[in-house]
Amino acid sequence: SEDLQNKDILQKDSVYGAIGLAASVLEEKLDFDLFLRNTLAQESQTDQPGCGILKRRIAIILGQWLPVKDELDRPLVYQIFQHLLDKNIPSNDLVVRITAGKQLKNVIIPFDFRFEQFEPFATTILHRLVALIEEVELNETKLALLNTLLVLIQSVEGKLPKDDVHLEADVDQIAPFADQIISVLAPLWEQAGAEFLLKQSILGILSSLIAAVRDESRKYHALLIPLIDNSVDVNSETRVYMLEDALDLWVNILQQTPSTAVSGVVPLVPHLLPMLEVGSDTLRKALEITETYVYLAPAQMLASASVVLAPLTTLLKGSKREVTGLVLSIVELLMQSALHLGGSEALTSFISQLVELNFLQTILVGLRGAHEAHQTTGPNRAKTWLDVLVETDYYSILARIALASPNLFIDAVKVAAPALPNERYETTISWILSEWFRHLDNISHPEKKKLSCLAVTALLQTGQPWITVRLQELMTVWTEVVVELYDNDERKDDCLVYGDVESMKGANETAEQEGQRKLMFADP
């Protein structure tokens, strides 16, 4: 009460400033919760001359204490910030509201943030913060307030990383403000000009916003697609500054795109090709986007398969394990899509492109090196660069061909075998199978092991000696796979056999999820 009766505003400002700066030191010595309720909360409501100085200081001190002090009355803090952001209160001048807008980020970030405490104030605070961003003129100020808005969106949607906190926010909390936020950001992007930091912040907010509104994001495609197009274009001057943030926005748009709006995101595909280069900083994300497009628009990706496969073949020859894994995953998905959409004829055409681009030859050369290395023992044994996981992925590609058509598998090996000097295709198939049966024990993924089992079994249809002589090995593989798939399964059935394709459809299924579901159910 003595603090409230003290009318020396500058003295109070100095004392409050010292308390704020010493937050980490005074944490255990000052009852800040009592100070908050009895002093700061009441000071923030005053409207006497000069009180704007104290209101600004209150916003700062709360931003300094909440990150270090647990178990404070957070609803009261949110109420204070809601009040400080109110433009209709005369003492809440622009300085007070800007300070409150900036410090709100520090109030929202702490790990013990709970949406249920913030929910009663979310609508009003969001509305006032967006209005404040529209009101201020300096780009630096807009940037700081945009950062607060980004944190607020992420927190409300439960996507801000927390320590041991799982926040499930109502997905409809941000959606009502999406139009207003977009209406602010669109002209702001144009005004930003060469202010790349501001544009990066805008892209970050748009990315979080798209994740928040989910399938409703399609109505913003007309605005967002050109932004991405301009930011990732190799001829764009802004690419070096905007690429990473634009890719994040691109990923979120693809993940939230409904099946009815896929055509709107397909024109961006050509921008992926320059990023599919060895050593590119954005290579991994570009590969992930490419994989998403296979689910979203398989027909369009297959139509331009040769253009996509060319850089993927280059990546296959000299990349790290994680990149090679993504490359092989994309090619395998394209093979599944070709078979699913166009049958064996489409798959044959796709395999021909793999051969023309030396993709299959690269796989055979790698497997040959692994086979030769495994024929040696002792301290001087040969070594192979092909690790277990990559070899599994290699054989998954061959398995897709053999399972679809054993004769197509033989033809593909015949064409690719010349990459191995002085070797007939029978010899090639013989060592391929020897290494394949040896490697089956090392395949830990049940789906991939079952795929290989089905593939080598399908080769029996050829009646060729190089497979019939391995009948005993096949029986061993069948037994191992059946035991593994039926083990610990309450249904007493193959654990990889699912129900009806439509029964697994989600309530808010995106186009990507629909593509994944359909390919999964079409997979033998």
Side-chain angles (χ1 to χ4, degrees):
S1 59
E2 292 181 1
D3 289 337
L4 295 177
Q5 294 173 2
N6 185 352
K7 303 301 182 180
D8 191 337
I9 292 176
L10 295 180
Q11 183 185 40
K12 285 185 178 182
D13 183 57
S14 299
V15 173
Y16 293 174
I19 292 174
L21 292 172
S24 58
V25 178
L26 298 176
E27 177 189 357
E28 302 297 333
K29 300 177 181 179
L30 174 65
D31 188 345
F32 191 79
D33 193 52
L34 182 65
F35 179 57
L36 169 65
R37 284 185 277 107
N38 292 347
T39 303
L40 298 184
Q42 297 183 47
E43 291 275 21
S44 67
Q45 305 296 316
T46 60
D47 203 25
Q48 65 186 57
C51 68
I53 297 175
L54 283 185
K55 288 188 172 186
R56 172 184 171 276
R57 179 60 62 184
I58 289 170
I60 295 174
I61 194 174
L62 290 176
Q64 292 169 321
W65 269 83
L66 261 74
V68 300
K69 186 67 175 178
D70 299 332
E71 300 179 358
L72 289 176
D73 187 350
R74 291 187 178 276
L76 178 58
V77 173
Y78 302 141
Q79 184 179 353
I80 291 174
F81 273 88
Q82 178 179 264
H83 178 80
L84 295 178
L85 287 168
D86 189 353
K87 183 180 181 180
N88 295 320
I89 298 176
S91 57
N92 289 349
D93 57 25
L94 192 59
V95 174
V96 171
R97 287 182 284 122
I98 289 175
T99 304
K102 291 180 178 179
Q103 293 299 322
L104 181 61
K105 179 178 70 173
N106 297 327
V107 171
I108 298 295
I109 281 180
F111 69 92
D112 54 347
F113 173 83
R114 296 289 188 278
F115 175 73
E116 59 271 16
Q117 295 178 333
F118 182 72
E119 185 174 12
F121 313 97
T123 299
T124 304
I125 288 180
L126 266 171
H127 175 77
R128 290 174 179 174
L129 183 60
V130 172
L132 181 60
I133 294 173
E134 291 183 281
E135 183 180 353
V136 298
E137 298 179 358
L138 291 178
N139 285 340
E140 292 81 357
T141 306
K142 288 181 182 289
L143 180 60
L145 295 175
L146 285 171
N147 286 334
T148 297
L149 181 60
L150 175 59
V151 170
L152 187 55
I153 292 173
Q154 291 174 330
S155 298
V156 170
E157 293 304 321
K159 292 181 176 61
L160 190 68
K162 303 279 193 291
D163 295 338
D164 301 323
V165 174
H166 179 62
L167 180 63
E168 296 183 354
D170 184 353
V171 297
D172 294 328
Q173 294 301 321
I174 293 296
F177 300 94
D179 288 343
Q180 184 183 5
I181 295 173
I182 291 290
S183 67
V184 173
L185 297 182
L188 188 57
W189 176 274
E190 298 298 329
Q191 297 168 14
E195 294 284 344
F196 299 120
L197 286 177
L198 183 57
K199 285 189 171 182
Q200 287 173 349
S201 182
I202 292 173
L203 288 177
I205 292 173
L206 289 173
S207 183
S208 295
L209 188 63
I210 292 303
V213 299
R214 299 189 179 178
D215 60 341
E216 290 297 318
S217 64
R218 65 183 180 274
K219 65 182 180 181
Y220 305 120
H221 282 189
L223 170 67
L224 301 180
I225 299 300
L227 295 187
I228 297 174
D229 182 80
N230 178 259
S231 300
V232 302
D233 189 343
V234 291
N235 298 316
S236 172
E237 297 179 357
T238 63
R239 186 176 189 270
V240 64
Y241 307 102
M242 315 300 299
L243 182 58
E244 187 173 347
D245 296 284
L247 287 178
D248 289 336
L249 176 58
W250 193 353
V251 168
N252 274 345
I253 286 179
L254 292 180
Q255 290 176 343
Q256 307 302 331
T257 296
S259 55
T260 55
V262 169
S263 59
V265 297
V266 172
L268 291 174
V269 172
H271 291 305
L272 286 171
L273 301 180
M275 289 183 267
L276 298 178
E277 299 175 356
V278 178
S280 169
D281 293 335
T282 56
L283 175 58
R284 181 177 178 83
K285 187 157 288 185
L287 287 171
E288 291 172 350
I289 292 174
T290 304
E291 185 177 54
T292 301
Y293 268 109
V294 178
Y295 288 120
L296 286 175
Q300 292 89 331
M301 294 299 287
L302 286 169
S304 57
S306 59
V307 179
V308 176
L309 287 173
L312 294 183
T313 302
T314 303
L315 290 174
L316 185 65
K317 295 177 180 178
S319 300
K320 295 181 179 179
R321 151 68 197 143
E322 59 178 12
V323 172
T324 302
L326 281 171
V327 168
L328 292 167
S329 175
I330 292 169
V331 173
E332 187 177 351
L333 287 173
L334 285 169
M335 293 172 69
Q336 289 179 259
S337 299
L339 186 62
H340 178 59
L341 296 176
S344 58
E345 184 178 345
L347 181 59
T348 301
S349 174
F350 184 78
I351 298 303
S352 298
Q353 295 180 70
L354 290 181
V355 173
E356 290 174 7
L357 293 166
N358 289 325
F359 193 93
L360 274 186
Q361 290 87 327
T362 301
I363 288 179
L364 292 186
V365 169
L367 292 175
R368 178 60 180 272
H371 172 69
E372 292 177 345
H374 294 141
Q375 304 309 304
T376 61
T377 58
N380 295 323
R381 66 184 180 275
K383 295 183 179 180
T384 175
W385 59 268
L386 201 64
D387 67 24
V388 173
L389 295 177
V390 173
E391 186 169 354
T392 297
D393 292 337
Y394 272 15
Y395 272 117
S396 293
I397 298 294
L398 296 182
R400 291 290 174 190
I401 304 173
L403 185 57
S405 171
N407 290 327
L408 179 58
F409 174 79
I410 294 175
D411 293 340
V413 173
K414 282 182 178 179
V415 176
L420 307 170
N422 304 318
E423 186 168 286
R424 289 170 51 82
Y425 94 89
E426 294 92 344
T427 306
T428 303
I429 288 184
S430 179
W431 66 253
I432 285 176
L433 289 174
S434 295
E435 179 64 17
W436 205 338
F437 280 102
R438 186 208 65 80
H439 182 70
L440 271 164
D441 288 335
N442 296 324
I443 301 178
S444 58
H445 198 293
E447 292 184 10
K448 290 186 178 292
K449 191 165 188 175
K450 180 182 178 180
L451 174 63
S452 283
C453 175
L454 292 174
V456 293
T457 302
L459 292 176
L460 284 172
Q461 299 174 39
T462 65
Q464 295 293 326
W466 38 260
I467 185 63
T468 55
V469 297
R470 299 181 181 276
L471 190 56
Q472 185 173 348
E473 292 176 275
L474 278 167
M475 289 181 178
T476 302
V477 171
W478 295 336
T479 304
E480 291 177 351
V481 171
V482 168
V483 169
E484 184 173 339
L485 295 180
Y486 280 68
D487 189 31
N488 297 324
D489 184 20
E490 296 179 356
R491 299 180 303 164
K492 303 300 179 184
D493 199 356
D494 186 341
C495 65
L496 295 180
V497 174
Y498 306 103
D500 179 68
V501 61
E502 294 300 323
S503 66
M504 301 290 288
K505 184 176 182 179
N508 298 308
E509 188 177 63
T510 64
E512 181 185 13
Q513 292 167 337
E514 181 183 355
Q516 291 172 341
R517 176 173 55 85
K518 289 183 176 180
L519 272 186
M520 179 180 69
F521 278 90
D523 192 352

